[in-house]
Amino acid sequence: MRRRKKTMACKCGGCHYTLNAKSSFDRDLAKTRKFLLRNVSALRMFTNGFFRSKWRSVAANRRIFSMDAREKSRSTILESSKDKRVPIFVMMPMDAFALDASGSPRIRKIKALTVSLKALKLAGVHGIGVEVWWGIVERFSPFDYNWSLYEELFKLISDSGLKLHVALSFHSNVHSSNGKGGVSLPLWILEIGDANKDIYYRDRYGFSNNDYLTLGVDQVPLLSGRTALQCYEDFMLSFVNKFESFIGSVIEEISIGLGPSGELRYPAHPFGDGRWKFPGIGEFQCYDKYMMEDLKMAACRVGKPQWGDRGPQNAGCYNSFPSGVPFFEEGQESFLSDYGRFFLEWYSGRLICHADAILAKAAKILKKYQEDEQTSVMLVAKIGGIYWWYQTVSHPAELTAGYYNTALRDGYDPVVSVLSRHGAALHIPCLEMIDSETPPTYLCSPEGLLKQIQSVSKKRIINVIGRNTTERLDKTGLWKIHSNCYNPQAEVVRSFTYFRMNDSIFRVENWNNFVPFVRMMSTDL
């Protein structure tokens, strides 16, 4: 994660969306081997002791249920939660891939990666998280899917004895990669965007970035005759057909990208293009012509056509603090006004409909694999961790991101309800974060946010998997992850994804913390 100055040093600054990690591949292979040889006695200890224990298949009880089935299955889910082992997945490095001169993808430093995978396996890590990029697979032209990179990578991971969490990534990480391993949207999408920038989210000044398609084109056939939803569906179908033999055996979790960084949210806090920095409240992202057309229709339906001309004009700018911004205070023209409630219900509602449509298609595609318990797989959806200004009444940073969550309204319940309807697990962030480590000036509460999300997830009877937001390899941070995963007030998380594999993990002082953490998470309590 990025370090800021005196404000939330290394905990916040825009990095809740980006994982600014050094790659383990920046070391040469010889150095990697030297480290492992130096620590071989410890690795042998792991294999001779606890880590010989057999892992029960994590996917075994992960069927996709209909809403009715899930409502009737609380006792089943509670029973399965008694399995106190929490499998650990480690995400691949951000720059694990490279494009050669012809634009074809390849794995960087494959020998070093192989050694790293074996070390993680010996340490007790259960699986590897891999982003499957739309911009790599369908890069050059519509329907021209090239899965060769992932065929090679999945085989390498499987041969190392590790399982897979696959994140189907319909976004770009160019702005968050610092020039290292950035993947754009497909080139043919970018060509369309050059002619029509309204296929991307836009702010009130007309600025946009090409990190993710606006949900305004979900149902508009602008992409070589297809809608965005059809593009996502075709990609998912191609993936499942290609890797059918891996699903349920090697691939245990499939996360579906729903927005920037794969998270269900608007790009209200764009990192990397200079518009926003932590702890700014962000800006509403609804000014592409397709969303504006929808807003106008929504305003007409409630008999207030004047409300459909634009978003709130008194909501500050990207780097505003909520104090002194009328829309986020409690006056007559605030988020509590009739107009404020109308706009926020529309803005958040469109985001929820976006998730509903994509997850419906994903659940339908994966349904046939649920008929056989051996091929069951967990469908996953990821939300952002917008924890700054959480202790205000209006929660402005969450509102601009699309979560209509305030001190007076639970904005995560509608989100979790959609996931429940499609049998999807919720991927929640911030498990390593501690309120006392955040600057009090910005009224942050990652712990409060996490508690709220865990509470509504328990109420809606859905599975939860966790992840960290900042890199923590110290004992305090890792212990915080453990305590959140086993929170007695919430369901035990079904797995934890560590962001991400990099040089830091393999440093002796960090490795000596990380391995006991993995063992602790992997032990029946």
Side-chain angles (χ1 to χ4, degrees):
M1 303 310 298
R2 280 193 177 279
R3 287 194 174 267
R4 300 177 304 94
K5 298 179 183 174
K6 121 191 223 189
T7 64
M8 197 60 179
C10 85
K11 309 287 182 203
C12 310
C15 20
H16 53 290
Y17 303 135
T18 43
L19 299 157
N20 183 22
K22 294 180 181 178
S23 172
S24 60
F25 303 100
D26 290 336
R27 308 176 292 167
D28 57 33
L29 179 59
K31 187 175 180 181
T32 306
R33 285 176 172 162
K34 183 178 179 181
F35 165 76
L36 292 175
L37 288 173
R38 187 169 66 247
N39 293 276
V40 69
S41 60
L43 294 176
R44 285 199 188 108
M45 178 184 71
F46 303 147
T47 59
N48 291 334
F50 165 80
F51 293 114
R52 280 191 182 277
S53 64
K54 295 181 179 179
W55 280 92
R56 183 180 57 81
S57 172
V58 180
N61 294 317
R62 295 178 174 179
R63 293 194 158 201
I64 292 179
F65 296 98
S66 67
M67 183 63 170
D68 290 341
R70 292 189 67 83
E71 291 294 347
K72 296 175 183 177
S73 304
R74 180 166 181 79
S75 60
T76 301
I77 292 178
L78 291 176
E79 182 67 26
S80 67
S81 295
K82 292 178 182 178
D83 179 3
K84 299 297 185 181
R85 286 183 281 182
V86 178
I88 303 296
F89 291 83
V90 177
M91 288 297 293
M92 287 284 287
M94 187 171 286
D95 61 346
F97 316 129
L99 298 174
D100 61 25
S102 68
S104 299
R106 62 178 178 83
I107 302 173
R108 298 183 66 242
K109 299 185 179 179
I110 191 168
K111 291 183 179 179
L113 174 60
T114 302
V115 174
S116 298
L117 292 175
K118 289 180 179 178
L120 291 172
K121 174 63 177 177
L122 287 172
V125 168
H126 183 67
I128 301 297
V130 176
E131 287 129 331
V132 175
W133 296 99
W134 186 22
I136 286 180
V137 176
E138 197 180 0
R139 183 172 183 78
F140 296 107
S141 58
F143 296 108
D144 183 15
Y145 302 109
N146 178 2
W147 295 105
S148 59
L149 172 72
Y150 294 103
E151 288 181 285
E152 182 181 10
L153 182 58
F154 289 2
K155 184 178 186 303
L156 179 64
I157 292 170
S158 178
D159 289 347
S160 299
L162 293 160
K163 304 298 184 180
L164 276 165
H165 168 110
V166 172
L168 301 185
S169 300
F170 299 113
H171 64 282
S172 162
N173 72 341
V174 169
H175 290 101
S176 61
S177 63
N178 296 315
K180 296 182 178 180
V183 180
S184 70
L185 292 181
L187 298 182
W188 61 274
I189 292 285
L190 297 181
E191 290 178 3
I192 295 170
D194 287 341
N196 180 9
K197 293 190 181 302
D198 283 292
I199 69 171
Y200 308 123
Y201 288 116
R202 305 187 79 162
D203 63 21
R204 60 179 172 147
Y205 307 106
F207 292 116
S208 64
N209 63 48
N210 50 14
D211 284 346
Y212 189 78
L213 296 174
T214 170
L215 60 77
V217 300
D218 277 358
Q219 305 284 358
V220 185
L222 297 172
L223 310 175
S224 295
R226 288 187 291 170
T227 68
L229 285 177
Q230 288 172 331
C231 290
Y232 305 146
E233 181 180 23
D234 291 338
F235 186 90
M236 290 187 286
L237 281 168
S238 179
F239 170 81
V240 166
N241 290 334
K242 185 67 178 181
F243 296 106
E244 185 170 16
S245 63
F246 281 77
I247 294 177
S249 56
V250 177
I251 299 173
E252 295 186 341
E253 300 178 353
I254 299 178
S255 175
I256 309 299
L258 299 172
S261 297
E263 299 169 348
L264 177 64
R265 61 175 175 82
Y266 293 101
H269 313 94
F271 179 75
D273 64 8
R275 283 183 287 166
W276 173 85
K277 63 181 180 180
F278 179 87
I281 59 178
E283 291 202 18
F284 294 109
Q285 305 288 312
C286 58
Y287 287 89
D288 63 86
K289 66 181 181 182
Y290 307 104
M291 289 197 70
M292 288 306 298
E293 288 171 1
D294 192 272
L295 176 60
K296 289 175 183 178
M297 289 189 292
C300 288
R301 283 195 295 270
V302 298
K304 297 284 187 178
Q306 66 274 21
W307 287 354
D309 292 337
R310 55 192 177 179
Q313 298 299 291
N314 60 346
C317 59
Y318 284 108
N319 296 311
S320 296
F321 286 12
S323 177
V325 177
F327 189 77
F328 298 116
E329 294 187 322
E330 298 180 55
Q332 293 183 346
E333 297 181 350
S334 74
F335 71 102
L336 296 172
S337 67
D338 289 345
Y339 166 73
R341 288 195 296 269
F342 159 77
F343 176 80
L344 292 172
E345 286 174 1
W346 170 81
Y347 189 68
S348 63
R350 293 298 296 123
L351 194 65
I352 290 169
C353 288
H354 174 68
D356 192 26
I358 297 177
L359 292 176
K361 292 182 180 298
K364 183 178 180 180
I365 291 169
L366 293 174
K367 182 178 180 180
K368 70 175 183 179
Y369 298 97
Q370 309 311 311
E371 297 172 358
D372 180 354
E373 194 169 286
Q374 298 304 312
T375 62
S376 59
V377 63
M378 181 177 284
L379 175 63
V380 178
K382 185 178 175 186
I383 62 170
I386 316 297
Y387 54 83
W388 54 103
W389 308 117
Y390 183 84
Q391 297 184 65
T392 64
V393 174
S394 61
H395 294 225
E398 290 166 272
L399 296 185
T400 58
Y403 305 124
Y404 189 2
N405 189 56
T406 70
L408 308 173
R409 185 183 191 276
D410 188 339
Y412 295 100
D413 186 70
V415 174
V416 173
S417 295
V418 168
L419 271 61
S420 178
R421 181 158 61 249
H422 300 297
L426 178 63
H427 201 174
I428 57 176
C430 301
L431 267 68
E432 85 293 358
M433 301 193 77
I434 302 170
D435 282 4
S436 61
E437 295 180 348
T438 65
T441 307
Y442 307 140
L443 300 175
C444 303
S445 184
E447 293 183 83
L449 174 64
L450 179 60
K451 182 178 180 181
Q452 180 184 354
I453 295 172
Q454 286 179 321
S455 176
V456 72
S457 298
K458 184 174 183 179
K459 181 179 74 172
R460 292 293 178 181
I461 323 171
I462 69 169
N463 285 315
V464 171
I465 66 176
R467 71 182 188 272
N468 53 306
T469 297
T470 62
E471 180 182 292
R472 293 294 293 265
L473 288 163
D474 60 289
K475 290 181 180 179
T476 299
L478 294 174
W479 177 253
K480 184 63 176 178
I481 292 172
H482 177 271
S483 64
N484 278 325
C485 286
Y486 293 102
N487 185 339
Q489 305 302 317
E491 300 296 332
V492 175
V493 303
R494 299 306 298 266
S495 68
F496 180 83
T497 305
Y498 186 85
F499 279 69
R500 52 177 82 223
M501 189 194 308
N502 58 63
D503 188 54
S504 297
I505 288 180
F506 297 104
R507 292 175 188 155
V508 175
E509 64 275 17
N510 292 331
W511 187 251
N512 289 339
N513 292 333
F514 184 70
V515 172
F517 161 73
V518 173
R519 178 173 182 173
M520 184 169 55
M521 296 281 280
S522 307
T523 304
D524 286 334
L525 297 183

